[in-house]
Amino acid sequence: MKKIALLTLVMGMIQFGFSQDITDAVRYSEDNIQGTARFRALSGAFGALGGDMSAVSINPAGSSIFNDSHISISTAINIKNNDVQYYNGFNNSKKTNFDLNQTGAAFVFYNRNPDSKWKKFAFGASYDKVEDYDNNWLARGTSNSSIDNYFLSITQNQAIPFGVLKLQTGEYIEDAYANIGANPNYGYSVQQVFLGYWAGIIDPVNLDDLTNDEETNYLSNIAPADSFNQSYIYNSTGYNGKFSLNFSSQFTDRIYFGINLNSHFINYDKITQYYESNSHPDALVSNVYFENILSTYGSGFSFQLGSIVKVTQSLRVGLTYNSPTWYRIEEESSQNIDSNYADPEIGYIGDIINVYPAYNLKSPGKFTGSLAYVFGKYGLISFDYSLRDYSSTKFKPSSDPHFSEQNSIINNLLTTASTYKIGGELRLNQLSIRGGYRFEESPYKDSFYQSDLNGYSVGLGYSFSNFNMDLTFDQAQRDSNYRLYSNPGFSNSAFIDNKQSNITFTVGFNL
């Protein structure tokens, strides 16, 4: 029998390699600030306008546009709709959640010295949700490629002696798994082969001589077939949030300066469950279950510098620099696997936990230029253009071989992407009617991986005295090809058409 003891639980420090890849680099580099309802109604085209708490998160000079101290709070209903195609299968999923996505206050202080050119100063503190990671979808279809290629391709790229996969006398499976992960010559990839072997999916080619610890060739117990019934369930939760301290000032009647000091925090959990079956008469393995769980926690810092210039009383120009965000990220993963051909004394292998050393991620900086024209008390139109080089994203320490490889992949596959936002507002006494459009280029050189994003927004606002209420609906659409596993041997992908809709409500007060 292969088994020596029943698997329970293991925690150990192991080599990098579970999830630190280009997908994570993009996930933590993109920003889609939820913001106030007015901000979202103009599709975020607020860089030259200011006078809104979420506008301050785009251009820190915007807090000095306020005439009075201001506080706002925003809630939203977020709806994610996914149409998923996987080979011959089509599925739809929808997820809805309610959240507090923005709150903040700006305090305005006027300079009482009439001879000074510095007219006023502002101090603010705010929270904005940058990204919402709550999502779920199902991919189901019939493929001609089996999960066995996930394990076999590793053995074909690495000469893994069979002796590494065997249990030593008195050794538990969890101990062997942890020891493989901690070995600098093996790590996570060999752990996968270990799981494939103990789940009965692969075996050494010479089954008559299991004492040959130097054997490096393996075979599959899943017979070649024209069709494999496969299902892949994806479920993620979490968010990327930003807390900002803002300082700004007005110089003369036309120039505004500002700085934001930002604290970022990531909380992300992902569970994927893979099922495969086949009815081939020669298959020893006819059913496979493979589950992966990832938990990510991170914190980071960035800063922003911004200015707004009133060229005329109506025409405004804005310029903002967003520094890179320097993250420190901690992760742990859990894997579970089973098949009908697993050793009967083992059965389900589950709850092996890898705790990874903390690593660093530097997301790319961003430049934003803005124009706005204010038609007195009747309304306004605004335009923002942003530029961000995603290929400058870096995992650190770069001396780590895995991170060095991922940074090379990032440099080869990601590119500089532009974002265009336009918004307008029509004021009818106390009522405001708003609308906007945004277009974001894909961060990938090849949009096969992720398409450009298109979004629109409409909203209403009502203000009286020192109080305002705003309501907005916005929607954005983007396609992507999601690789089930980051492994060249098993490259099955699901095509996902994602639509994200939001209904945002904001209440604001002048103090």
Side-chain angles (χ1 to χ4, degrees):
M1 290 299 188
K2 295 177 180 177
K3 177 178 169 23
I4 289 183
L6 182 66
L7 178 66
T8 54
L9 178 69
V10 59
M11 297 181 67
M13 303 300 290
I14 75 161
Q15 293 283 296
F16 293 109
F18 176 74
S19 69
Q20 303 90 5
D21 60 23
I22 189 172
T23 304
D24 302 278
V26 172
R27 178 189 304 115
Y28 302 133
S29 296
E30 291 183 311
D31 58 68
N32 178 29
I33 293 174
Q34 306 288 302
T36 65
R38 188 182 180 214
F39 175 85
R40 299 203 76 150
L42 272 67
S43 290
F46 252 97
L49 289 174
D52 179 276
M53 287 311 304
S54 289
V56 176
S57 71
I58 298 298
N59 187 336
S63 58
S64 291
I65 300 293
F66 283 115
N67 292 320
D68 301 291
S69 297
H70 182 81
I71 185 171
S72 67
I73 186 169
S74 305
T75 59
I77 299 173
N78 306 310
I79 305 167
K80 290 187 178 179
N81 189 82
N82 294 300
D83 291 319
V84 183
Q85 179 181 353
Y86 184 71
Y87 293 93
N88 62 335
F90 297 87
N91 289 277
N92 173 267
S93 64
K94 181 181 292 186
K95 186 165 188 175
T96 302
N97 68 304
F98 177 82
D99 202 6
L100 171 69
N101 60 300
Q102 178 277 330
T103 186
F107 302 94
V108 179
F109 304 92
Y110 285 86
N111 190 347
R112 296 184 179 181
N113 181 358
D115 297 325
S116 175
K117 292 185 178 181
W118 296 97
K119 301 300 182 181
K120 60 183 173 183
F121 302 88
F123 165 76
S126 63
Y127 163 79
D128 275 288
K129 179 178 280 190
V130 177
E131 280 285 357
D132 179 10
Y133 297 136
D134 287 4
N135 199 11
N136 69 278
W137 48 266
L138 165 67
R140 177 181 293 155
T142 302
S143 166
N144 60 4
S145 178
S146 169
I147 188 69
D148 62 354
N149 291 311
Y150 173 78
F151 305 101
L152 287 177
S153 64
I154 300 174
T155 68
Q156 293 162 0
N157 293 325
Q158 296 177 247
I160 303 171
F162 176 54
V164 174
L165 309 182
K166 296 170 65 176
L167 299 181
Q168 304 303 311
T169 302
E171 186 178 36
Y172 289 83
I173 288 181
E174 62 266 33
D175 296 329
Y177 180 92
N179 292 335
I180 290 171
N183 190 316
N185 296 318
Y186 302 130
Y188 179 79
S189 61
V190 180
Q191 283 182 324
Q192 305 312 289
V193 176
F194 178 83
L195 291 177
Y197 169 68
W198 283 97
I201 298 170
I202 62 173
D203 270 319
V205 293
N206 190 355
L207 293 175
D208 295 329
D209 183 13
L210 295 180
T211 62
N212 182 7
D213 291 349
E214 302 305 315
E215 178 63 73
T216 59
N217 295 309
Y218 297 84
L219 55 78
S220 171
N221 291 320
I222 299 177
D226 294 330
S227 63
F228 297 92
N229 299 316
Q230 297 169 347
S231 296
Y232 185 89
I233 300 173
Y234 177 101
N235 197 321
S236 64
T237 59
Y239 59 92
N240 187 338
K242 181 177 75 171
F243 176 78
S244 300
L245 291 178
N246 168 260
F247 305 89
S248 70
S249 181
Q250 178 185 348
F251 182 75
T252 70
D253 292 329
R254 296 184 180 275
I255 303 174
Y256 304 80
F257 301 99
I259 182 172
N260 284 343
L261 302 178
N262 306 313
S263 177
H264 301 257
F265 34 95
I266 294 171
N267 190 332
Y268 174 68
D269 293 290
K270 180 180 72 173
I271 301 175
T272 65
Q273 297 171 305
Y274 176 87
Y275 302 85
E276 177 180 298
S277 65
N278 72 86
S279 57
H280 196 286
D282 297 328
L284 298 176
V285 176
S286 56
N287 293 281
V288 176
Y289 171 73
F290 191 27
E291 180 181 65
N292 286 273
I293 302 172
L294 173 69
S295 294
T296 303
Y297 308 92
S299 60
F301 171 79
S302 71
F303 66 89
Q304 295 164 279
L305 302 173
S307 64
I308 296 174
V309 177
K310 289 185 176 180
V311 180
T312 68
Q313 193 62 30
S314 297
L315 179 62
R316 301 179 183 181
V317 177
L319 181 64
T320 308
Y321 169 69
N322 288 48
S323 77
T325 302
W326 294 273
Y327 286 110
R328 184 180 186 274
I329 298 176
E330 300 178 15
E331 293 182 331
E332 64 178 55
S333 68
S334 175
Q335 294 189 279
N336 311 301
I337 193 168
D338 194 15
S339 85
N340 64 290
Y341 195 60
D343 189 297
E345 292 189 26
I346 295 178
Y348 179 80
I349 298 175
D351 294 329
I352 302 178
I353 297 177
N354 285 326
V355 179
Y356 298 89
Y359 66 92
N360 298 317
L361 175 69
K362 180 177 77 70
S363 72
K366 181 172 69 173
F367 289 93
T368 301
S370 310
L371 287 172
Y373 195 89
V374 180
F375 300 94
K377 62 181 181 180
Y378 301 106
L380 58 88
I381 187 169
S382 180
F383 173 77
D384 280 14
Y385 172 76
S386 299
L387 193 66
R388 170 172 282 179
D389 182 8
Y390 285 91
S391 67
S392 65
T393 307
K394 299 295 181 186
F395 286 105
K396 295 182 178 182
S398 55
S399 58
D400 182 271
H402 174 72
F403 287 157
S404 178
E405 178 186 5
Q406 293 304 314
N407 289 338
S408 178
I409 292 173
I410 288 170
N411 187 62
N412 291 331
L413 295 185
L414 298 185
T415 187
T416 300
S418 298
T419 298
Y420 307 83
K421 300 177 181 178
I422 187 168
E425 180 178 73
L426 174 65
R427 297 172 185 159
L428 304 173
N429 296 321
Q430 293 171 294
L431 178 68
S432 296
I433 302 172
R434 301 163 183 148
Y437 171 78
R438 66 178 169 130
F439 173 81
E440 297 181 12
E441 291 182 336
S442 170
Y444 290 87
K445 292 179 180 178
D446 187 347
S447 59
F448 169 82
Y449 299 104
Q450 182 173 295
S451 73
D452 299 331
L453 179 146
N454 286 275
Y456 70 91
S457 53
V458 292
L460 295 172
Y462 188 81
S463 61
F464 50 93
S465 184
N466 292 321
F467 177 76
N468 67 276
M469 295 186 299
D470 303 293
L471 181 67
T472 293
F473 172 82
D474 68 274
Q475 185 176 94
Q477 185 273 336
R478 168 171 269 168
D479 299 332
S480 62
N481 274 281
Y482 178 89
R483 286 274 297 272
L484 305 192
Y485 298 96
S486 299
N487 183 298
F490 186 60
S491 58
N492 290 17
S493 299
F495 177 80
I496 304 172
D497 179 2
N498 172 261
K499 288 183 180 178
Q500 181 167 337
S501 306
N502 305 278
I503 302 171
T504 307
F505 177 71
T506 298
V507 175
F509 306 87
N510 290 331
L511 304 178

